[in-house]
Amino acid sequence: GAVVSQHPSRVICKSGTSVKIECRSLDFQATTMFWYRQFPKKSLMLMATSNEGSKATYEQGVEKDKFLINHASLTLSTLTVTSAHPEDSSFYICSAREGGGSTGELFFGEGSRLTVL
Amino acid sequence: GQQVMQIPQYQHVQEGEDFTTYCNSSTTLSNIQWYKQRPGGHPVFLIQLVKSGEVKKQKRLTFQFGEAKKNSSLHITATQTTDVGTYFCAGKWSGYALNFGKGTSLLVTP
């Protein structure tokens, strides 16, 4: 199946700094990617839909100025957590569909665990 | 926003027992997908159900989509220790995004 790669897998940062997480589709083009947040032993909460060449669509309650999403190419979306605080510590995971359609299997990245001190 | 409710949250079974997890939406779904996440891993796609009343099987796993396309279930027959993990349903109504249920964590003891 298709492969989605996320980097870094783990990051520790100080409160107030910004952290960028990359999500790449390695063997397919993804016009749309999705960013989720997962708390320990909890479900995946959809944060935003990343659209190549246009603005991301954020879910209700997700601060767009806090979680900046850039989808500059067909294989790369980035999530930047700005001015991170301890409550932003979480597991962030991206996904994408092969072919860019609205249906079909989601391929997930390995996830990025953010710890804010 | 639209949500799928999933129960139970946890299930602990003896190896060889059956297991079922259920998902329910208050509104009609376009389709529903099921994913499995092993401890420490990322979700992996299992199946997609699209048609009303659809039933699909994958070896010991049986997936059903209700006639009204508002509920779905995953049944595992004769569980094995390799079935351990969290099973998520994910509903799609319109657009591109999926909304995940809270998941059912399955623990299988030998």
Side-chain angles (χ1 to χ4, degrees):
Chain A
V3 177
V4 174
S5 177
Q6 232 178 295
H7 178 80
S9 58
R10 293 180 183 273
V11 56
I12 300 173
C13 70
K14 292 182 179 179
S15 187
T17 60
S18 294
V19 174
K20 181 186 284 187
I21 301 168
E22 294 185 346
C23 179
R24 294 180 185 273
S25 55
L26 296 187
D27 49 0
F28 67 100
Q29 293 183 334
T31 53
T32 304
M33 291 185 174
F34 306 95
W35 286 96
Y36 291 87
R37 182 173 178 175
Q38 188 174 34
F39 293 98
K41 299 185 179 180
K42 297 290 185 184
S43 186
L44 296 125
M45 184 193 79
L46 178 65
M47 297 175 66
T49 301
S50 172
N51 305 299
E52 187 269 334
S54 63
K55 291 182 180 179
T57 305
Y58 289 83
E59 294 299 301
Q60 193 173 10
V62 178
E63 298 176 60
K64 56 184 68 177
D65 294 331
K66 172 77 172 174
F67 299 100
L68 299 179
I69 291 172
N70 187 311
H71 196 151
S73 78
L74 286 171
T75 58
L76 174 64
S77 175
T78 60
L79 167 68
T80 302
V81 183
T82 63
S83 187
H85 290 282
E87 57 265 30
D88 299 324
S89 298
S90 192
F91 189 62
Y92 294 89
I93 191 163
C94 68
S95 67
R97 281 194 187 94
E98 201 172 359
S102 62
T103 61
E105 168 180 3
L106 284 178
F107 295 95
F108 282 84
E110 307 93 332
S112 299
R113 186 162 302 283
L114 170 63
T115 302
V116 185
L117 302 176
Chain B
Q2 291 160 315
Q3 295 180 334
V4 281
M5 305 304 292
Q6 189 173 356
I7 58 169
Q9 189 175 358
Y10 301 100
Q11 187 81 58
H12 183 182
V13 300
Q14 292 283 102
E15 191 172 23
E17 292 181 337
D18 293 353
F19 159 77
T20 305
T21 173
Y22 302 89
C23 276
N24 185 66
S25 167
S26 59
T27 55
T28 304
L29 293 157
S30 171
N31 64 60
I32 194 162
Q33 297 181 1
W34 286 90
Y35 290 80
K36 177 182 179 181
Q37 185 175 22
R38 293 183 185 275
H42 60 274
V44 175
F45 176 82
L46 294 176
I47 209 153
Q48 175 173 277
L49 303 171
V50 179
K51 298 177 183 177
S52 168
E54 190 168 15
V55 178
K56 288 189 176 180
K57 292 190 176 185
Q58 290 178 351
K59 296 182 181 179
R60 295 178 293 103
L61 276 62
T62 302
F63 304 85
Q64 291 188 319
F65 202 10
E67 293 290 341
K69 298 182 69 174
K70 290 183 177 181
N71 56 72
S72 181
S73 65
L74 157 59
H75 179 82
I76 302 178
T77 304
T79 54
Q80 300 175 357
T81 55
T82 52
D83 295 325
V84 165
T86 301
Y87 293 85
F88 293 99
C89 61
K92 181 175 174 302
W93 291 264
S94 63
Y96 287 76
L98 287 171
N99 282 327
F100 281 73
K102 292 186 183 296
T104 298
S105 294
L106 173 63
L107 179 62
V108 181
T109 50

